[in-house]
Structure formats: structure tokens, C-alpha cells
Amino acid sequence: MNAQLAAILADLNGPQRLAVQHRDGPLLVLAGPGSGKTRVITRRAAYLVHTGVPASQILAITFTNKAADEMRRRITELGVGRGMWVHTFHALAARLLRELGPLVGVQPGFSIYDEADSLRLIKQAIESAGAGLLLRPQSVQAAISRAKNRLLTPQAFADQADRFEDQVLARVYAAYQQALIQQNAVDFDDLLMRVVLVLRDRPDLVERLNWRFRYLLIDEYQDTNHAQYVLAHLLARHHRNICATGDPDQSIYGWRGADISNILEFERDYPEALVVRLEQNYRSTGYILQAASALIAFNRRRKHKELWTQNGSGTQVRLWRFSEGRDEAEHIAETIQRLRAEGWRYGDFAIFYRINALSRGLEEALRARGIPYQIARGVEFYNRKEIKDTLAYLRLLVNPADDTALRRAINTPPRGIGKTTLDRVSALAAQRGCPLLLLLRQVQELPFPAAARRKLAAFVTLVDRIAQEGGSSVSATVSAALSLSGLEAMYAEEPDAEGEDRLANVQELVTAARRYEQEAEEPTLADFLHRVALVSDQDAIDESAGVVMLMTLHAAKGLEFPAVFIVGLEQGLLPHENALRESLDVEEERRLCFVGLTRAQRQLFLSCARERMIRGVPVPRPASQFLREIDPATIVCEDFTAVSYAQAQEPASPVDAGRFEPDPCADFDETDDWAQEDSQEGEKRRLRRKRAAPRRRLDVPRQTMSGGRADSRYADWKPGTLVEHARYGVGQVIWIRPGPGQTRAAIHFAGRGEKTFILELAPVRKVDPR
């Protein structure tokens, strides 16, 4: 073995080495969290090159720009990166569409519409289809996205539309798709669908791509949707040299079409596949890993792995319970402040939540203590008005048919081109079947007043000047668009701080263009715009920023931090209320929680609140069922519910610390049926009675609270059991926890959501399923 191969294999464990050295044929790498899967993929790519495979014949695919950049960097450091394709699925599809686009009606320079542009076009399609009173634009957008992920064209969707609503939706889908074609644009889902459709219909192209890419490496395979699954199999149809790396336990994107079956059934698709399990965790300590492993074991749809680590046991997971969400945020901020004084860095901490709404209280608590933080919202930068205004000019340079971009740019800054004039131009362009910019190039022939023709002609001249002066580079074109359009001057003249922020943001766009030019092999304005369009929240995360990171659990995937706080571990938040209707959806929520737990390296803090403000009303929150599923030996529980946070300023001495109810989901106040009423009046009554009732102490011996014999009436009740409530009607049991005289159960009622009861006190009876 030569020195280069020896260096590639030197620091790999046995399973990692087996995966790296596998040459031909399908390979499935089941990689647990923190098991070094990126290392395996990059070393495998380098190993293939050093054993005779040209780098240009290797295609590596992942899911985020951040992951692709990291993979590309590591492969380059191994000396083998040049010529290799390393892309996200969508970036790969965009690159292929630049080659194959004309076969499916997509011309060079096509625009990629983000969700906002897509929604604007959908609203126009709904209006043209006369369906404004029947359909919500956001619902239509989601339905069209699902159809495209299933590779259903407008015609195929119409063919299977039986219901009246679906038939109307089919008309809107067709109108929307026609508008995209007219503007030479695609949405995110189009990128994949159009590439897959052309390959599915052209076996010769599939064969050509199979010869071009002899080895296919796919990361995060558990997150593939149907279109991505079909694309992957087409690209490996002839050689079958497909290496799929992923973890079913980290499949968390079912809500956007990801299908966990793709990885679970890989061996059915490729019976000859070699399966390698990466089970050694290099990230977390033993207690953290044990807690996460116990939780995920409750899922049925998975492939078993025995995760282990040599990092030592570490410290136990801390579980905190608070009276309300505000106390939770205050205690987390104070803990960060205290640990910072002990030598931790701000950049060591991350706070995860299931929904963005929980970030507000956390931000307030951090700001009050002067703790620097950053929210991971990468898309937000490119969604700012000033950035989208600038990008509209650039999109128009690359794609003159982009009417959406023209409408945004033509009167920004204001040029005296009113809505009436623009509507007349649009109507005339539609009548002649040509793009707006092409029509404006003939403006002197149009039946408009002289002043309007002069203003429209000046805009066309401006577009041409930007193209001419900025043609030398991408960054020069961005600078020219800002200066010549008047955008830069407009923001500079704004007197308030908002103008300064906008000016700084557009200048940052120039910096982003320069950075792109340094990284891209062949930088072009079209490719830069495509990269911008495909930015995700994760792309803005900089773990080296030296600040506390706040993000959703979905955005946390693929990251790691020395200390992690997961907040809002309550039934209805995590697992989310929408998921409680289906057991498989609860499994995905459990996987999401598992992902959050396994981001932590040294310290893990979990928290829940007895009560949160929901739409301005305090709502009781039962603790998450996931807390009962974590091995109690891994957790130290601390309860802060007996006093308000203002009365408990000493974090080292919580109320009855260490005597938190052994079942972390136990409720500490007396509960009866009325306590779960969802009306505002019911909330007020509940709060009055709660304040008047004496509070139970938390140091009651375990057997008096959860020991003893359970009520035999509920012995055969289990998740899924159908029951009927005197007020709420028929429901389905989500979870049940027996106890002496206090059998607790969560039940979901259609149209009412989830309610929690003490069954001995509630008018609930079992329903015969027949």
C-alpha cells in the first residue's frame, strides 16, 4: 500500500475502513450521530481516486450548501477534489438543467423562484382560474409541491383528480406551470421534477450520465423524497455503484416529502448491497448517548444500532421544570452567564426549540443580560427587501423573460412608472405573447403618452448599462446594479438606522459575490443567482462566531455544540400537536428530539414549563411523553414550579432539587376534567382554583404518588384505544399512565385537539370499535 492510501486509512476504525475500501457495487452505510460519516464519504472519494478512478467520474450529493462546502473542502485537502462534482440535490438538478433544460422547455439563464415569488405567481394563477373564493394560496402552493415531489405534471394531476376541489386545483396548477414556462423560471420542486422527467423519458441520457458518473456518493439518504430517490436510481441504473450514507433515526423531513422507506428498503432495491454500521460515537459523552439511545428505541421504523463511545460517562442530563415559559428563558440565560464566568465561551452554547415562537422569550432574557446571540435564519438575509430588490436587477440580466423580476425592479427606486402604465404594458405583453422587457424594447411603437414612453425607455437603457459596466465579474455586476439603479444612493440618503442597515446589507451582497468568485471553479452570474436561490437556514450558521446560537431542531441537524439546551419539551410542542394524530408522525417527532439530544458534546439541558402563554392566554402544558422514554438513570431532575423565578435566584439551590418527581411527566397539582377546557373562560376558572388550592410538596415518597395498584378498569386501555367523552365526543388514546386512583391519559378529539384527564374523575368510557 502506497503512502497516500495509508494516510487515507490511518485514523479510521474498522467499519469506517470497510466502507472506504469497498469498491464496486451498492453500499449502505448506517451512520449513527457523531460517527464520522462525513469522514467516511470524503475518504472514500479520495480512496477511489487514488486507486485509479478519475475524479470527474465521482458525484457526491448532500442536502445543504453548508455540508456540500465542507465536503468539498475536505476532499480538496486530500488532494483529489478538482473535477469532482459535489452538490446538493437541488444544485445538481440546476446544473443538469442548464444542460438538459431545452428538452423540457427550460432555456439557458432560467430563474429559480423562491417561495415568495412562487406564491405571487400562484395568486395570479388562482385569479386567472376564477378560484379566489375556493382556494388559499398557501394551501395551493403546498399541494403543487406535493404533486411535483410525486412527479405529477399538471396533466397527470388532472387525470387523477376525482373531487371537485382537486379539479379546480388542477386548473390552477396548469395555469401556474404555464406562467413559469412563459417567464423561463422554475420553482424548487421543478428543478428535480423536470430533470427526472427528461431522464425517465430518455434512456440514452441516463446511460450517458451513468458513464460520466461511475460512482455515486449520497449523504443523508434518509432525507430523500420520491423525486430524489428516482434521480439517484437513474444515475446508478447501469453501474449500481451507489453508496448511500444516512441514519433512519435522523429522518426528520417527512413534512416536506422525505420518505424514510427509501433508506429502510435500500437492501430491497439492491439485494447485493454491503451494509456497514458506524456505531462508535466520537461526539458525545456516555450519559448523553445513553439518554438518546433509550428514547429512539421506542420507534418501530428503524434499523437497530448499538451506539457507544470512549468519551467517558460525563455528567448526567439536567431536566428542569418551570412554572411558566418566562422562568425557563430566565434560568437558561442565567445558567449561560454562570458557566461563562466558569470559563465556558458563548460559542459553546446552543438553544434548540421545536417552533420559532419560543425564541422571543429567550431573546429577551439573553438581551437583558448582555449575552450575544444569533438566530439561525440564513434564508432571512436573502428575503430582505433591499436584497430582493437588488437581485431583481441581476435576474433580469440573466433571464430577460423574468417578468416577476422586472415588476419588482422597474419602479424601485421610484421612477414615476405608475401601476396603470405597468398594467397596460402587462396586458399588451400578454396579448402579444412576449416578455415585458422585450416589449419595452419596442416602447417607441407603443400607444402610450410620450412621458410614459420616455420613462420606460430609460429603464431599458439602465438594464443595458448595468450589463455593460458589470460584465467583467459577478461582484462588479452586483456593484453596478447597486450604483446605477440608484438603490445604493436611496439607502444612503435614508436618515434613520434602518437605512444604514439596508446599505450594509446590500454591501454584504457584494462581499458574498466576491466570496463566491473565490470558491467557484467557473463563476458566472447565473450560477451565483442559483446558489443564492438555494440558500437554507443552516448556511448562515457559523459555529465559530463566538455567540450563543438559537435555532429550530430542524436547523440543528448536522451540527454539534459543547452545551445544548432543548426547551419546550411539552406535549403539543414536542411532539408537536399536529403529529399526535398519527403514530408514525410521533415517530418523526421522536427522531427530531433524538437529533437534538445528539448535538450535545459535554452538557445537555432539557426543560419544560407547566404553563405557557398561547395567543395571550396562559395554557397548561403537560410534560412531553419523550421525557418518560429517556432512561431515568441518565437524568438529574430539578423542579422550579413551587415558586416564581424571581423568588428563586440561586440556581445551585432549586426548590427541592434532586427530589423532582421520579416520573418527569407527573403533574404536581390536583387535576380534574374541567382543567383541560380550551375556552378562555375555562382558563380563567382554572387559574382561580389553582391559586386558591394548597400546593402539594414535591418530597412525597414515590410510592404514594405513582406506586400501588392501578385501576383495573383501564388495564386494557392503550395508545390507539377509541373512547368517548361526554362533552368532546369520540377520541383516541395517545398515551396512558396508570396510578392508584389517578390513571392519567392523553386523548385526541377531532376538532378539539389533545386533552389530558384523570380517568377516575372524567366522564370517559371505552368505545367498542365494532
Side-chain angles (χ1 to χ4, degrees):
M1 183 182 297
N2 63 41
Q4 289 176 317
L5 289 179
I8 289 171
L9 301 174
D11 56 350
L12 301 179
N13 61 35
Q16 289 175 335
R17 183 174 298 196
L18 178 62
V20 167
Q21 290 183 294
H22 176 75
R23 179 63 182 258
D24 294 326
L27 169 66
L28 175 62
V29 180
L30 296 171
S35 62
K37 68 178 176 62
T38 304
R39 172 183 294 184
V40 167
I41 295 173
T42 54
R43 297 295 180 87
R44 176 170 167 75
Y47 187 87
L48 288 171
V49 173
H50 284 298
T51 54
V53 179
S56 59
Q57 292 186 1
I58 301 172
L59 170 61
I61 307 174
T62 187
F63 271 81
T64 66
N65 294 323
K66 187 181 183 69
D69 290 342
E70 173 66 11
M71 193 180 299
R72 196 178 292 113
R73 181 186 66 79
R74 291 201 198 184
I75 292 173
T76 301
E77 288 176 352
L78 294 169
V80 297
R82 189 160 188 82
M84 190 181 301
W85 281 30
V86 182
H87 291 299
T88 66
F89 264 107
H90 285 90
L92 169 67
R95 188 166 178 177
L96 290 176
L97 206 56
R98 289 198 284 270
E99 295 181 25
L100 309 175
L103 297 175
V104 285
V106 179
Q107 304 307 316
F110 61 88
S111 299
I112 300 176
Y113 281 0
D114 62 16
E115 289 189 13
D117 289 331
S118 166
L119 191 63
R120 191 173 294 110
L121 217 56
I122 283 173
K123 290 177 180 177
Q124 295 174 15
I126 291 174
E127 190 175 324
S128 67
L133 299 177
L134 299 173
L135 301 174
R136 289 180 59 251
Q138 290 82 358
S139 299
V140 171
Q141 186 175 44
I144 292 176
S145 178
R146 289 192 297 270
K148 291 184 176 183
N149 283 337
R150 291 157 51 206
L151 303 177
L152 292 176
T153 63
Q155 185 59 55
F157 186 85
D159 290 343
Q160 67 174 35
D162 297 326
R163 299 183 309 157
F164 173 73
E165 293 87 345
D166 290 337
Q167 292 168 0
V168 176
L169 181 58
R171 294 203 306 271
V172 175
Y173 181 11
Y176 168 68
Q177 203 65 14
Q178 185 59 36
L180 285 174
I181 292 171
Q182 289 174 349
Q183 298 193 32
N184 193 30
V186 297
D187 58 27
F188 294 148
D189 301 304
D190 261 338
L191 285 170
L192 294 164
M193 184 180 77
R194 295 207 190 187
V195 168
V196 171
L197 290 180
V198 71
L199 293 181
R200 201 169 61 178
D201 295 338
R202 292 286 300 272
D204 58 316
L205 294 179
V206 173
E207 186 173 5
R208 188 193 309 171
L209 288 176
N210 273 241
W211 276 106
R212 181 192 295 185
F213 303 118
R214 300 289 297 165
Y215 291 87
L216 186 60
L217 312 177
I218 304 179
D219 192 14
E220 307 288 7
Y221 193 73
Q222 77 281 349
D223 291 332
T224 52
N225 61 27
H226 179 66
Q228 292 160 341
Y229 167 84
V230 174
L231 178 59
H233 285 271
L234 288 170
L235 293 174
R237 171 178 287 177
H238 297 288
H239 52 66
R240 297 177 74 82
N241 294 328
I242 178 173
C243 169
T245 305
D247 181 8
D249 291 338
Q250 298 184 68
S251 178
I252 60 174
Y253 294 111
W255 52 277
R256 68 181 189 195
D259 188 351
I260 192 175
S261 299
N262 294 344
I263 191 169
L264 292 177
E265 298 174 2
F266 185 87
E267 295 157 88
R268 182 204 63 184
D269 295 331
Y270 300 96
E272 75 276 28
L274 171 67
V275 180
V276 177
R277 284 174 165 79
L278 304 184
E279 298 172 309
Q280 181 176 0
N281 177 285
Y282 293 91
R283 174 187 299 151
S284 306
T285 57
Y287 276 126
I288 294 171
L289 208 59
Q290 185 180 343
S293 296
L295 172 71
I296 203 62
F298 279 81
N299 273 10
R300 293 172 296 165
R301 302 193 73 200
R302 61 187 302 259
K303 286 183 177 288
H304 179 71
K305 296 181 297 299
E306 288 289 344
L307 301 181
W308 61 280
T309 184
Q310 292 181 331
N311 293 340
S313 297
T315 59
Q316 288 174 285
V317 178
R318 305 297 286 268
L319 171 58
W320 297 330
R321 196 171 198 188
F322 300 94
S323 294
E324 55 184 76
R326 182 178 59 183
D327 295 346
E328 175 186 60
E330 293 288 346
H331 190 63
I332 288 172
E334 186 172 278
T335 300
I336 291 174
Q337 196 172 45
R338 175 169 53 84
L339 292 176
R340 165 74 171 166
E342 295 175 7
W344 290 64
R345 301 170 304 163
Y346 287 129
D348 291 337
F349 302 104
I351 307 175
F352 303 154
Y353 34 81
R354 177 63 178 86
I355 60 174
N356 280 308
L358 295 186
S359 69
R360 185 176 62 84
L362 294 164
E363 289 185 76
E364 291 176 355
L366 294 173
R367 279 199 302 266
R369 287 167 173 77
I371 298 174
Y373 68 90
Q374 177 183 338
I375 298 181
R377 291 176 184 159
V379 178
E380 193 170 271
F381 175 78
Y382 291 101
N383 279 339
R384 296 177 189 273
K385 180 182 183 303
E386 60 271 22
I387 299 300
K388 295 193 69 130
D389 290 342
T390 309
L391 293 174
Y393 285 93
L394 303 177
R395 281 167 42 184
L396 203 54
L397 298 181
V398 174
N399 179 16
D402 192 339
D403 290 352
T404 299
L406 184 141
R407 287 191 180 93
R408 184 173 197 110
I410 195 168
N411 213 32
T412 308
R415 297 187 176 90
I417 302 173
K419 183 179 182 300
T420 301
T421 299
L422 194 54
D423 286 345
R424 290 182 61 191
V425 171
S426 298
L428 195 55
Q431 181 182 334
R432 298 187 181 185
C434 68
L436 292 175
L437 186 60
L438 180 60
L439 184 71
L440 294 185
R441 291 190 180 281
Q442 308 161 13
V443 68
Q444 297 305 330
E445 305 171 10
L446 301 183
F448 292 160
R453 291 202 304 270
R454 187 168 57 253
K455 293 171 184 175
L456 294 172
F459 177 74
V460 175
T461 301
L462 168 63
V463 172
D464 292 341
R465 281 189 62 201
I466 294 172
Q468 182 179 2
E469 294 194 18
S472 59
S473 69
V474 176
S475 58
T477 305
V478 178
S479 295
L482 285 170
S483 59
L484 295 176
S485 68
L487 288 172
E488 200 167 31
M490 181 176 71
Y491 300 138
E493 291 170 5
E494 290 184 2
D496 55 10
E498 189 174 353
E500 294 179 9
D501 290 342
R502 288 179 174 174
L503 184 60
N505 286 334
V506 294
Q507 290 170 346
E508 176 61 26
L509 186 63
V510 179
T511 302
R514 291 198 184 102
R515 194 181 308 120
Y516 158 77
E517 290 169 338
Q518 295 169 357
E519 297 171 353
E521 292 183 7
E522 298 178 5
T524 66
L525 181 58
D527 183 55
F528 173 70
L529 291 175
H530 287 175
R531 290 200 184 195
V532 166
L534 298 175
V535 163
S536 69
D537 280 346
Q538 276 202 337
D539 296 327
I541 298 173
D542 180 8
E543 295 106 311
S544 64
V547 298
V548 177
M549 296 300 306
L550 276 65
M551 67 190 74
T552 65
L553 284 159
H554 284 98
K557 190 157 177 288
L559 305 175
E560 59 183 32
F561 298 90
V564 165
F565 299 85
I566 304 180
V567 304
L569 274 155
E570 297 143 25
Q571 207 72 356
L573 286 180
L574 185 64
H576 195 276
E577 182 178 10
N578 294 340
L580 292 172
R581 301 182 181 92
E582 298 288 342
S583 60
L584 293 182
D585 290 343
V586 172
E587 288 210 353
E588 177 155 320
E589 292 290 298
R590 189 177 286 110
R591 292 193 293 268
L592 185 59
C593 188
F594 174 79
V595 165
L597 299 179
T598 54
R599 302 308 95 194
Q601 295 171 299
R602 293 160 49 196
Q603 291 268 22
L604 176 60
F605 303 87
L606 312 177
S607 62
C608 58
R610 293 292 308 274
E611 193 172 83
R612 286 192 190 273
M613 295 292 289
I614 306 294
R615 298 182 182 89
V617 177
V619 177
R621 309 297 309 182
S624 171
Q625 67 186 76
F626 297 155
L627 294 178
R628 300 193 308 277
E629 298 168 359
I630 296 175
D631 184 349
T634 66
I635 295 179
V636 172
C637 303
E638 296 175 309
D639 186 78
F640 296 88
T641 61
V643 292
S644 69
Y645 187 78
Q647 295 171 296
Q649 288 300 307
E650 285 296 327
S653 304
V655 179
D656 291 320
R659 284 181 286 178
F660 189 104
E661 171 65 23
D663 176 356
C665 282
D667 289 314
F668 298 115
D669 290 323
E670 295 293 347
T671 307
D672 60 15
D673 189 34
W674 56 261
Q676 297 299 328
E677 291 186 53
D678 53 5
S679 69
Q680 189 166 349
E681 188 57 36
E683 274 302 323
K684 292 177 181 177
R685 288 205 310 272
R686 185 193 67 77
L687 290 172
R688 285 197 298 269
R689 290 184 58 175
K690 178 180 176 182
R691 295 188 188 105
R695 184 174 296 276
R696 268 199 326 226
R697 289 184 54 80
L698 306 184
D699 52 355
V700 180
R702 178 181 176 89
Q703 61 269 22
T704 66
M705 295 191 68
S706 57
R709 300 185 56 174
D711 194 319
S712 60
R713 288 178 293 173
Y714 311 110
D716 61 339
W717 289 36
K718 58 186 178 181
T721 297
L722 291 177
V723 298
E724 184 176 24
H725 186 278
R727 175 178 175 185
Y728 299 124
V730 175
Q732 192 173 38
V733 174
I734 299 170
W735 55 260
I736 184 167
R737 185 169 66 251
Q742 289 194 3
T743 305
R744 298 177 185 274
I747 302 171
H748 182 270
F749 300 94
R752 291 284 193 170
E754 180 196 331
K755 312 292 178 185
T756 303
F757 305 100
I758 294 177
L759 296 181
E760 288 83 354
L761 303 177
V764 181
R765 66 177 184 85
K766 186 177 179 181
V767 174
D768 187 338
R770 291 173 296 183

